[in-house]
Amino acid sequence: RKEVEQDPGPFNVPEGATVAFNCTYSNSASQSFFWYRQDCRKEPKLLMSVYSSGNEDGRFTAQLNRASQYISLLIRDSKLSDSATYLCVVIFLSSGSARQLTFGSGTQLTVLP
Amino acid sequence: DTEVTQTPKHLVMGMTNKKSLKCEQHMGHRAMYWYKQKAKKPPELMFVYSYEKLSINESVPSRFSPECPNSSLLNLHLHALQPEDSALYLCASSRGLAGVQRATDTQYFGPGTRLTVL
């Protein structure tokens, strides 16, 4: 079983739609959670951290459910410029030298005019 | 400023060549990373340097050799690569926090070097 799993999509949605992505993780000792965005042939860029209480940044809302071990990203009022691959990232600490980041496989979003 | 720079942007090399990838950051970060990313896959961690010392080597073949000359620079020396090594090579940096704070240590990525091995 992969440590971090995402629905690869693709998600094709019309402009203005609301879309949600989920990501599950298997390591209950996971400490921190992030959503990164990666445009085609570009580097991943941090979109937002995910906090236990949930957090919002404009049209983007991230939530964490530790009991069920998943995080989510909600995008409201989708824009064409939101088209990208969204990567779920989980960090956990282990004894010795810890892996710094574990990436999900990414969810591809295309917002259609 | 959260800029990480990488050179070159593109590199084509033969299997007998020796080349180097370079990464630089001036954010005062003390942790730097090399990742390899194949098309339609997430980045895979290769190496981690913490305070200029190699702290993680994710079982990477010896034809990849990292070097951290100082806290701002990270190199990846390439020798005798195979065609399957063709990929986007991403460098990242983070503040390099200690202990449990490491979990919140956000990483910032450079634009990558797109490597093609013929």
Side-chain angles (χ1 to χ4, degrees):
Chain A
R1 185 183 170 189
K2 289 183 185 173
E3 290 177 348
V4 180
E5 296 210 49
Q6 285 184 254
D7 181 343
F11 283 62
N12 298 318
V13 303
E15 253 185 305
T18 295
V19 60
F21 309 135
N22 285 333
C23 167
T24 58
Y25 58 93
S26 59
N27 189 329
S28 59
S30 297
Q31 297 278 345
S32 298
F33 310 88
F34 304 87
W35 285 102
Y36 277 73
R37 168 199 169 124
Q38 187 169 24
D39 292 287
C40 186
R41 303 180 71 83
K42 299 281 191 182
E43 75 274 23
K45 291 193 175 173
L46 179 67
L47 181 65
M48 58 199 303
S49 303
V50 188
Y51 303 120
S52 295
S53 53
N55 48 300
E56 191 172 305
D57 182 4
R59 298 180 293 108
F60 299 85
T61 301
Q63 301 234 311
L64 166 63
N65 185 319
R66 284 191 186 272
S68 301
Q69 295 186 198
Y70 78 83
I71 67 172
S72 64
L73 178 68
L74 182 78
I75 306 175
R76 289 182 298 276
D77 188 22
S78 303
K79 310 289 184 196
L80 296 176
S81 56
D82 294 333
S83 298
T85 296
Y86 289 83
L87 295 158
C88 164
V89 173
V90 174
I91 296 178
F92 63 91
L93 299 181
S94 60
S95 60
S97 61
R99 182 165 306 174
Q100 300 294 304
L101 287 180
T102 303
F103 283 89
S105 55
T107 299
Q108 187 181 339
L109 171 67
T110 302
V111 180
L112 303 167
Chain B
D1 182 12
T2 55
E3 188 177 69
V4 178
T5 59
Q6 288 186 244
T7 55
K9 284 188 167 48
H10 301 275
L11 178 62
V12 179
M13 59 187 289
M15 288 190 283
T16 58
N17 293 156
K18 283 186 184 180
K19 296 285 184 185
S20 296
L21 309 185
K22 297 186 183 304
C23 173
E24 191 167 2
Q25 56 85 18
H26 293 289
M27 296 179 276
H29 288 177
R30 302 309 297 273
M32 296 185 77
Y33 312 79
W34 279 116
Y35 289 86
K36 172 182 177 180
Q37 187 174 26
K38 303 281 273 185
K40 298 192 184 301
K41 299 284 188 185
E44 295 174 21
L45 184 67
M46 299 174 73
F47 301 104
V48 180
Y49 272 82
S50 179
Y51 290 78
E52 294 94 71
K53 288 187 174 22
L54 183 64
S55 63
I56 294 178
N57 176 340
E58 290 283 0
S59 303
V60 179
S62 60
R63 57 186 185 268
F64 295 92
S65 173
E67 179 199 15
C68 190
N70 60 55
S71 60
S72 300
L73 292 174
L74 185 66
N75 298 323
L76 185 63
H77 302 299
L78 314 173
H79 175 54
L81 294 194
Q82 304 296 311
E84 60 264 28
D85 296 322
S86 299
L88 179 67
Y89 287 83
L90 292 160
C91 173
S93 72
S94 68
R95 286 173 62 193
L97 302 173
V100 293
Q101 290 180 309
R102 191 188 309 148
T104 58
D105 198 19
T106 304
Q107 294 189 16
Y108 298 92
F109 286 82
T113 293
R114 193 159 296 279
L115 174 69
T116 302
V117 182
L118 301 175

